[in-house]
């Protein structure tokens, strides 16, 4: 996953997503990153870094199969924040817009009220 990726892997992913990904809000609420390419090995490597699964859509001949990796919610937010420093202006603005319209994600542990035993 992206939090365990090396700086080189994060930069590689940013470069790939800069040119090949879509950044949007799924159901107008959840940040989403979508990647689709005909290069299976590239999509699989990106999916491993993002913590996504890979699916295939078959196209009529002579077109090649298309491989897809998609994440949404907190995972997508985490990936967007990790790659943001590497993105150019247009993609940076798009990611900032998506993150700005998504509800705040609280990643802290839930607060549990403890009452002392009598």
């Amino acid at each position: 996953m992206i939090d365990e990726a090396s700086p080189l892997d994060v930069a590689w992913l940013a470069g790939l997503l800069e040119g090949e990904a879509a950044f949007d809000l799924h159901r107008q609420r959840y940040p989403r990153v979508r990647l689709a390419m005909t290069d299976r090995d590239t999509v699989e490597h990106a999916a491993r870094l993002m913590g996504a699964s890979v699916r295939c859509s078959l196209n009529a001949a002579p077109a090649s199969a298309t491989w897809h990796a998609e994440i949404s919610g907190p995972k997508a937010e985490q990936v967007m924040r990790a790659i943001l420093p590497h993105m150019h202006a247009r993609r940076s603005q798009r990611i900032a817009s998506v993150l700005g319209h998504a509800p705040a994600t609280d990643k802290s542990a839930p607060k549990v009220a403890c009452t002392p035993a009598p």
Side-chain angles (χ1 to χ4, degrees):
M1 298 245 320
I2 199 70
D3 57 340
E4 299 168 357
S6 72
L8 183 61
D9 278 337
V10 173
W12 176 85
L13 183 63
L16 177 68
L17 298 181
E18 174 89 40
E20 300 295 332
F23 303 94
D24 60 8
L25 287 173
H26 180 59
R27 297 186 179 171
Q28 307 302 315
R29 181 173 173 88
Y30 307 104
R32 177 170 61 178
V33 179
R34 294 181 293 151
L35 172 66
M37 299 176 64
T38 58
D39 298 321
R40 180 180 184 173
D41 59 333
T42 302
V43 174
E44 286 176 340
H45 183 60
R48 276 191 300 276
L49 293 173
M50 296 189 301
S53 57
V54 176
R55 66 180 173 81
C56 176
S57 58
L58 301 175
N59 303 312
S64 300
T66 303
W67 301 91
H68 305 265
E70 179 177 313
I71 54 171
S72 62
K75 274 188 191 179
E77 180 182 344
Q78 188 177 22
V79 168
M80 287 182 196
R81 292 187 189 287
I83 66 171
L84 188 57
H86 303 284
M87 305 303 272
H88 288 99
R90 185 174 64 87
R91 291 296 195 161
S92 292
Q93 290 172 351
R94 179 64 185 152
I95 290 170
S97 174
V98 168
L99 293 175
H101 287 91
T105 304
D106 184 5
K107 295 175 184 62
S108 60
K111 310 250 186 300
V112 179
C114 295
T115 55

